[in-house]
Amino acid sequence: MTGTGDKHPTPPDTAKEHRPTLEAVPAESDLRLVGVGSGSVRICVAVVDDEGTEQLLAVRSSGAGQVTHEGHDFRVDLAVSDDAPTARLDLRIHHVGTDARPAGVRVSARLPGTMTRPHWMIPGAFYRENRPAGDLGTFPRAVLAPGDPDGASRDGPFTSTWWSMRSDRAAAPAVLGWTDQSCVGLAVEPVTSLGMSGLGFDAGPPPRTWVDLPWREGPVVYDGSEVAKPAEAATHEWASGEVHEVSIWVVRAAPEPHAYGPFLRHMYDRHRRSHELRPWVTPDRAARLTAHALQRWHHRTGDQVGGDPGDDVLVETVGFDRGAPDVDRHAMHVAWVSGIPWAHAMVRESVRTGDRAMGDAGARIIDTICRNRTPSGAFWGQWTPSGWNGGWNRDRDVLHARTLAEATLFTIRTLQLDGAPSSPSWRRAVEGNLAVCRAAMDEDGNLGSYYHQATGEVVDRRGAAGILWIAALADGAALLEQPDLLDTATRAATHYARFVDDAFVHGAPEDVHLAPTSEDAYNAVIAFVRLHQATGGQRWLDTACRAAEWMMTFRWTHNVTFHPDTILGTYAFASRGADQASPANQHLHAYGLVALEEMLTLWRATGDDHWLDRSRDNLACFLQFIARRDGDFNARRGMVTERYYQTNCFQPKGSLLTLSHAWCLGVTLLGAQVALADPEAFPTDGSWTTQREETTAP
């Protein structure tokens, strides 16, 4: 931890917003909001029928800050008011027809300027084109025109010029688009009197973003599988004379990649007043429960799972139902979904509580990984009962940079832990991995994303999977007393800062390939905070702030509404503070706690309380659904799931994955340990949130 300071990084000039004024001028069927020195934002209103056809409403009257749209049996009175740093559009939607009819209402904002490449954001669900060319996944991707040569023809239904999505896919119910002239964003409450809202965009021409009341999804629905599902809609049945009032927030900013920041902060500040946190247990109890579960349910000797009896491992998954052990995954990645980071948390808990058996188990797991390395000197990717391999990289001889970097970083942290056991093999492993890392660097500072296990040779440099090496190099320089490692870290940081500056970091998890994920954001925050600590460089602090701002686009500002008959509804799960895993994996997860310590460092270095508030939310969220006893939500004591399903992806909304994951336990344990060690950020009296030791649910 660093000391408290009052230095604030200088925000980039391009982050300044040009808020629309309150002047409203009718133009054809649009409402024009005249911006301050930046042109205008044009708003139009349409009725959407069952087939998804938009029927534009014409502007019938207007005055200062007011406009009325009419047509197709609807009248929409729209008043514009200031809600800094946005304008708020208050809509009064009146069905004036004599007959009942099903319909939705769409409010669109046209983007001034030219879109030269797809550049969209639905926080947590869609980033730029969303799936870069060359990515091997199958999930929604944006192009500028049908038949775009950059499109992936092999998965045609998932490539489109436009997308509509339900707002429970979005970490904040907002949609933004960028052109060469501006960034324009719309936001709405996740649920209005018309039901759950929706968000969408279209490349046009002209390009535009929109809010749907209620939600619609198209041109196809992504449910986590490789098969596109037909478009869906939740139209409202309007009675004659029925009236609804809804507010929408709109902003125009300069066309820089991080223009979303103030807009999303504003939405968070609104939501935190009405979307409460609901933790079940204190950090101390969470630490004891998750440490117990790691040792009781996930720690195995090799012979217990069909491997070498001399190995100790953390099996990756264990089923809630112990009568069905065939669902357990008897494998161990060296980091990421298992391995050294979470064994480190076990050792750290041993130091905290004096539980020697816990520390010995964690140390043996680390030792197993460190003494079984590849011919190149790097860690393997994964242990299995039949031997070691590269992991989930489509070639078992290929190693992933992020997995190796994370394992190396947490080996260093364990070696630096006062009172912890250690082994000479750990230090040799750090040296061997950092040697592979340094040999991989090219003249641009790119450390590579994939390496051949035998030679360490780089086989792919695309993406930013190597960004976490920056932290391992910076921390390794101090441990090994090799200042030249810090020089390597700085050269690499110059290269990887481009990804952060561009607000598109991608390539971190083995199973998502080149698409953006929340894990990319965590790695960027850790990397640049650690480098700032090691060098004191203001540039790296500024980059860390931008990485943290992008990380918050994955973090839920609000609580999703669940049906009371689902398990998440029954237990009143509060999603505020959770992170969406990625646009490809649309479920909530706890991995953000891996960067909790760095986020607190960032808070102290900048004096920006937003980082503290969002970090408290993150921990509070995952002090829910830790099994307090055998049978709690059908799990065993201490177990934690990987996936909370907040939308229609992979499983029905409101359910959770009935598997305990080693990494979920480990990252929750680590987050609790950080909180317990920092009473300034997390007062021990629980005043930082409302503790709910026992839920009232069955």
Side-chain angles (χ1 to χ4, degrees):
M1 297 303 228
T2 62
T4 304
D6 58 1
K7 294 178 66 177
H8 294 255
T10 303
D13 290 340
T14 49
K16 296 177 181 177
E17 293 188 336
H18 299 285
R19 187 169 72 254
T21 66
L22 305 186
E23 182 182 358
V25 180
E28 300 175 354
S29 61
D30 301 316
L31 171 70
R32 185 187 298 269
L33 299 176
V34 180
V36 180
S38 62
S40 64
V41 177
R42 301 173 67 188
I43 303 293
C44 65
V45 181
V47 174
V48 186
D49 65 18
D50 280 346
E51 300 300 317
T53 302
E54 294 182 75
Q55 301 169 320
L56 283 176
L57 277 60
V59 176
R60 295 304 185 196
S61 64
S62 66
Q66 305 235 0
V67 68
T68 296
H69 294 253
E70 284 187 316
H72 307 287
D73 293 333
F74 281 86
R75 185 179 74 242
V76 178
D77 298 314
L78 194 155
V80 188
S81 60
D82 185 22
D83 192 10
T86 76
R88 190 178 76 235
L89 311 181
D90 293 320
L91 284 72
R92 187 176 186 272
I93 308 169
H94 187 184
H95 179 225
V96 296
T98 57
D99 297 325
R101 62 172 293 190
V105 173
R106 174 170 291 171
V107 180
S108 301
R110 297 191 181 185
L111 277 61
T114 302
M115 183 173 284
T116 57
R117 60 172 179 165
H119 195 161
W120 309 103
M121 179 187 284
I122 296 176
F126 213 102
Y127 294 84
R128 295 187 180 270
E129 71 269 36
N130 208 43
R131 181 163 44 82
D135 182 81
L136 299 176
T138 306
F139 55 93
R141 184 172 193 264
V143 292
L144 290 184
D148 190 313
D150 288 334
S153 58
R154 64 179 174 80
D155 65 342
F158 285 119
T159 299
S160 176
T161 61
W162 68 274
W163 289 95
S164 283
M165 295 185 176
R166 41 196 284 170
S167 62
D168 61 6
R169 295 187 188 272
V175 55
L176 301 100
W178 282 257
T179 67
D180 59 342
Q181 292 183 13
S182 65
C183 168
V184 174
L186 295 175
V188 66
E189 290 302 321
V191 177
T192 75
S193 60
L194 288 164
M196 183 168 62
S197 56
L199 308 158
F201 58 81
D202 184 2
R208 60 188 176 122
T209 59
W210 64 70
V211 164
D212 278 322
L213 303 166
W215 64 271
R216 307 184 69 86
E217 291 214 303
V220 295
V221 173
Y222 173 64
D223 69 352
S225 71
E226 295 185 357
V227 179
K229 301 301 188 294
E232 295 181 347
T235 53
H236 179 73
E237 187 73 24
W238 290 83
S240 179
E242 187 174 350
V243 176
H244 289 266
E245 295 183 350
V246 178
S247 293
I248 294 174
W249 289 262
V250 59
V251 70
R252 172 166 177 165
E256 72 92 18
H258 291 278
Y260 60 84
F263 190 39
L264 297 188
R265 283 188 179 222
H266 176 69
M267 296 311 298
Y268 170 71
D269 288 339
R270 285 183 48 79
H271 287 160
R272 65 186 301 221
R273 296 194 291 268
S274 55
H275 294 263
E276 65 178 355
L277 305 173
R278 301 173 190 145
W280 296 4
V281 297
T282 63
D284 179 69
R285 191 173 180 199
R288 293 177 184 275
L289 286 168
T290 52
H292 160 80
L294 278 169
Q295 189 173 23
R296 172 65 181 87
W297 304 114
H298 289 264
H299 175 224
R300 298 285 188 271
T301 56
D303 57 325
Q304 290 176 319
V305 289
D308 188 328
D311 293 338
D312 280 74
V313 300
L314 282 177
V315 294
E316 291 173 356
T317 66
V318 173
F320 285 5
D321 186 348
R322 301 313 303 140
D326 54 313
V327 302
D328 298 354
R329 187 162 74 232
H330 292 158
M332 175 182 69
H333 269 72
V334 301
W336 185 40
V337 293
S338 188
I340 289 176
W342 325 126
H344 162 84
M346 295 172 70
V347 173
R348 182 169 175 171
E349 187 66 5
S350 171
V351 172
R352 185 179 80 88
T353 64
D355 185 342
R356 183 172 178 177
M358 176 78 62
D360 289 345
R364 290 196 301 272
I365 294 162
I366 296 172
D367 197 57
T368 294
I369 296 170
C370 286
R371 59 182 168 78
N372 290 283
R373 290 186 283 132
T374 68
S376 67
F379 291 125
W380 285 98
Q382 185 185 43
W383 176 95
T384 71
S386 60
W388 296 85
N389 61 57
W392 299 346
N393 303 311
R394 297 174 176 84
D395 183 337
R396 292 304 178 95
D397 282 327
V398 172
L399 308 171
H400 194 266
R402 179 276 185 90
T403 306
L404 302 188
E406 190 175 65
T408 304
L409 177 61
F410 278 90
T411 305
I412 293 168
R413 290 187 182 182
T414 312
L415 286 165
Q416 293 172 327
L417 192 60
D418 290 340
S422 65
S423 166
S425 68
W426 301 5
R427 186 182 180 95
R428 290 194 295 270
V430 169
E431 293 169 339
N433 279 276
L434 292 182
V436 169
C437 163
R438 297 184 76 187
M441 178 178 280
D442 67 11
E443 60 184 11
D444 293 327
N446 186 327
L447 296 170
S449 295
Y450 296 88
Y451 318 106
H452 192 277
Q453 58 86 10
T455 64
E457 180 181 356
V458 176
V459 297
D460 195 340
R461 293 190 181 275
R462 293 175 297 173
I467 199 170
L468 195 58
W469 280 123
I470 297 168
L473 288 161
D475 285 14
L479 173 72
L480 302 176
E481 298 180 330
Q482 295 181 17
D484 56 328
L485 292 175
L486 198 55
D487 295 336
T488 304
T490 302
R491 286 182 57 202
T494 301
H495 169 75
Y496 289 106
R498 302 169 195 169
F499 291 87
V500 176
D501 293 343
D502 203 35
F504 195 77
V505 193
H506 57 110
E510 292 181 12
D511 61 344
V512 181
H513 199 213
L514 295 175
T517 73
S518 58
E519 294 172 50
D520 290 284
Y522 313 145
N523 294 340
V525 168
I526 293 169
F528 288 102
V529 168
R530 289 289 182 175
L531 187 58
H532 168 68
Q533 289 179 290
T535 66
Q538 183 68 33
R539 176 186 180 185
W540 310 130
L541 182 61
D542 292 348
T543 305
C545 286
R546 287 190 287 276
E549 207 77 66
W550 193 67
M551 174 174 143
M552 293 308 153
T553 68
F554 292 90
R555 184 154 297 170
W556 244 247
T557 63
H558 59 99
N559 291 335
V560 175
T561 301
F562 297 104
H563 193 284
D565 291 345
T566 64
I567 192 167
L568 296 185
T570 297
Y571 281 82
F573 175 69
S575 56
R576 176 181 148 198
D579 291 340
Q580 179 120 297
S582 70
N585 287 326
Q586 293 182 17
H587 61 81
L588 304 182
H589 76 171
Y591 215 116
L593 291 171
V594 74
L596 183 61
E597 186 170 350
E598 284 75 19
M599 288 301 299
L600 297 180
T601 300
L602 194 62
W603 161 57
R604 289 192 167 95
T606 63
D608 187 345
D609 286 342
H610 183 71
W611 305 134
L612 176 62
D613 293 337
R614 303 302 299 271
S615 297
R616 285 172 166 174
D617 289 2
N618 192 211
L619 181 60
C621 182
F622 296 106
L623 296 179
Q624 303 173 100
F625 277 98
I626 302 171
R628 295 153 294 186
R629 61 191 68 84
D630 287 350
D632 198 0
F633 59 89
N634 208 39
R636 296 297 182 97
R637 180 169 175 260
M639 286 184 172
V640 172
T641 185
E642 176 197 14
R643 296 183 173 193
Y644 305 83
Y645 298 111
Q646 88 293 347
T647 189
N648 64 331
C649 195
F650 298 108
Q651 294 293 335
K653 178 178 177 176
S655 57
L656 55 78
L657 183 65
T658 55
L659 295 174
S660 177
H661 278 61
W663 76 258
C664 303
L665 291 164
V667 80
T668 306
L669 173 57
L670 189 66
Q673 290 165 342
V674 170
L676 290 167
D678 194 343
E680 180 187 12
F682 297 92
T684 55
D685 63 3
S687 59
W688 59 277
T689 187
T690 301
Q691 298 291 345
R692 187 178 65 161
E693 269 295 320
E694 295 293 338
T695 180
T696 57

